[in-house]
Amino acid sequence: MRWVWKSMLFSKVTMVILLVLPILFLSLALPLFKSTVEDLQVPIMLVDSSEQTMVEELVDELEETEPFSLQVVNNLDLDVLARGEVEAIFEVTDDLETRILDGDTDELFTWYRHENSFADGLFKEHLASTLMEMIVKAESANLVMSQTDTFDWDEVFHYGQRYFEPDPIFQMDFQSFGEYGQEETHRQSEQSTAMYLLIIWTYCWLLMIYFTNYIYHWRGQQLFDRLSLYRYGRAKLYLYWIIVVLVIVFGFASVIGAILHSIDSQMVTWWQLMNELGPVLFISAVLILVSSLICRTRRGMLASTLSYLLGSVSVFWFISWGWLADNWFNYFFIPVWLL
Amino acid sequence: MIRLDDVGYKKKGKHILEGVNAHVEAGDSICLFGPNGAGKSTLLKVMANLIKPTVGVRHFHPKEEKHPIGYIPQQVALFNNLTVKDHLRFYQKMTKKHSTNYIEEMKLKLGLNEILSKRVDQLSGGMMRKVNLAVGLLHEPEIVFLDEAFVGVDLAAKHDMLKWLNQLNERGVTVVFVTHDWHVINQLAKKMWILEDGRITDQVKMSEINHLSSQKIAEGTALSKMFALRMQ
């Protein structure tokens, strides 16, 4: 088989299609993607003139997950806001810790925003929810301390932490309902994953069409005629072809999947890629081989496989946009399996 | 070795072969001769069992069941990116042929040792034809079918190929070939089947051709007459 592998892989055109085109595509697309990611970092300034320990804890919590670029300073400088360098400034009251301990939650922050500020409202919500956790813990500690002297306040305060993280004592299954009434479980994230899988499938489908060139070339050279004189000779060459093609497309899909995952860990995992795309790629390779056996001319094969590609991608999008109802015959188009 | 009983082949409603009755003996060397479209390549493929006749029966009785046939197609049936050595090993693997003495002798006779590490697409037309011949003969077949295997081959390469084929024929290998090359026919053929419109119109021994009487020539078809006159 290694000779068939060598014969199919070591050609200039194949190398260009396999390596240069994806690298070119990624090198053009990545800076664009990265800049989009960077744009999502909303710049926020937090002013804490008394450098309080509780503010440090709060900042640690805030910076953990959300796409905010948080800058902590001691002095209020409204010019920064005027110049548009930050979306908003939140000034912390000097006695934050004392007031939280007392259960007094009025006007803990002063919120300065520019008239063009857009995403700072999100930070406000995030700040409020994070602060609320601390307040609830403090309230709980106050309540416990008023009933008993057995525990230390800090001990009770940090004990409350376990109710938020890291081992929640109960979990919630989040589900919502869309306009058609059907259940939409994390629908948006699934659709974006399906879209990435569709792009990878499309490229792999085109790759497989390219590799049928070898079948037509060998057929034109009467190579199959020669091999048919040997035991399973013709079948072996077709088998080698499909193995080589599967190795190439699976390898290609793995690399692209790894790159996408390294860019955004939420995007698609290698396992998810193989689990969802693997069977689809396998069936696709078999379909392409069968079409090259049925269509005796290269032109006929190109027309049928490219039409199928166009039809499949269209059906995929129509279903995604809700323009096409879920019907059994949609599954004749393999990419629909990714949805 | 091969007997064809009233063999016919029809494709898309057109008769390519019709009523072919012929017999190939072990050790024969037969040239299929005729104009373009006479059905020479189709007859060769029917004899090689690459296509099934639509009418009639092909009988084949080889000495060994395993890979008795060698086929050298009209096209250079080689993988472009592989070296000559890769090809030999690939076909060794496919045919499970392990007799290295025969392969070494063939490489020597066909002058392949100098080009073993060269890729096929770097070879001249003549060299490609030599490799094409070598891979078809690699498994020591009992009968070899050559379809225009000498097209575009220079004299030196042709000489090597003919010499090797003659040697094999002397050892008992049957050779059936299609060519328009008078030089190849003279050097290799013992018999000649002349085809016209899908039928064998004449079967002649080469040794008899020079002694054909003018009466025989006059009785023969236009093509056999032309050939006989050319040979005389």
Side-chain angles (χ1 to χ4, degrees), chain A residues 30-44:
Chain A
L30 277 186
L32 209 71
F33 187 84
K34 276 181 180 165
S35 71
T36 315
V37 171
E38 279 158 12
D39 287 346
L40 285 172
Q41 296 283 319
V42 181
I44 299 287

Side-chain angles (χ1 to χ4, degrees), chain A residues 217-218 220-223 226, chain B residues 72-80 87 91 120 123-133 135 147-149 151:
Chain A
H217 185 62
W218 293 337
Q221 284 181 312
Q222 296 178 292
L223 202 63
R226 167 175 273 168
Chain B
I72 291 92
Q74 202 166 357
Q75 305 293 328
V76 178
L78 303 169
F79 297 101
N80 281 344
H87 273 93
Y91 281 96
V120 163
L123 299 177
S124 66
M127 281 298 182
M128 276 191 200
R129 288 282 176 185
K130 275 188 179 182
V131 180
N132 198 33
L133 177 73
V135 296
D147 192 356
E148 302 266 15
V151 173

Side-chain angles (χ1 to χ4, degrees), chain B residues 202 204 208-232:
Chain B
D202 263 324
V204 242
E208 292 170 357
I209 277 188
N210 290 337
H211 308 292
L212 284 176
S213 65
S214 50
Q215 191 192 342
K216 176 79 179 170
I217 294 169
E219 282 169 4
T221 62
L223 200 75
S224 60
K225 270 191 270 184
M226 184 193 77
F227 178 72
L229 288 168
R230 176 74 190 256
M231 293 302 286
Q232 283 175 348

Side-chain angles (χ1 to χ4, degrees), chain B residues 45-63:
Chain B
K45 284 184 178 177
V46 168
M47 285 198 283
N49 204 27
L50 291 172
I51 51 175
K52 300 265 179 263
T54 44
V55 191
V57 188
R58 164 196 177 269
H59 301 277
F60 181 46
H61 304 290
K63 284 180 203 160

Side-chain angles (χ1 to χ4, degrees), chain A residues 63-131:
Chain A
E63 281 180 335
E64 233 168 48
T65 52
E66 298 297 320
F68 299 107
S69 158
L70 206 55
Q71 191 186 345
V72 185
V73 293
N74 296 333
N75 300 312
L76 179 65
D77 180 7
L78 289 172
D79 288 343
V80 178
L81 187 64
R83 288 196 297 270
E85 288 174 19
V86 292
E87 278 275 298
I89 298 175
F90 289 85
E91 191 183 18
V92 189
T93 181
D94 285 339
D95 51 352
L96 180 76
E97 195 164 342
T98 325
R99 288 177 61 187
I100 284 182
L101 295 183
D102 294 345
D104 175 13
T105 57
D106 289 339
E107 294 175 5
L108 293 175
F109 286 86
T110 311
W111 178 10
Y112 300 94
R113 69 189 304 264
H114 193 271
E115 56 182 359
N116 295 327
S117 294
F118 175 69
D120 56 331
L122 295 172
F123 181 78
K124 189 263 288 178
E125 291 301 322
H126 182 48
L127 176 66
S129 67
T130 311
L131 201 61

Side-chain angles (χ1 to χ4, degrees), chain A residues 2-4 6-7 10-11 214 217-218 220-223 225-231 233 236-237 240, chain B residues 45 48 50 67 69 71 73-82 86 89-91 94-95 132 135 139:
Chain A
R2 68 172 183 273
W3 294 288
V4 179
K6 193 175 166 187
S7 161
F10 295 157
S11 94
Y214 287 96
H217 185 62
W218 293 337
Q221 284 181 312
Q222 296 178 292
L223 202 63
D225 284 345
R226 167 175 273 168
L227 289 172
S228 66
L229 294 172
Y230 312 132
R231 195 173 164 79
K236 272 183 191 169
L237 190 55
Y240 293 159
Chain B
K45 284 184 178 177
L50 291 172
H67 308 137
I69 296 173
Y71 175 67
Q74 202 166 357
Q75 305 293 328
V76 178
L78 303 169
F79 297 101
N80 281 344
N81 304 315
L82 297 192
D86 287 336
R89 289 173 71 184
F90 173 73
Y91 281 96
M94 287 294 275
T95 57
N132 198 33
V135 296
H139 57 290

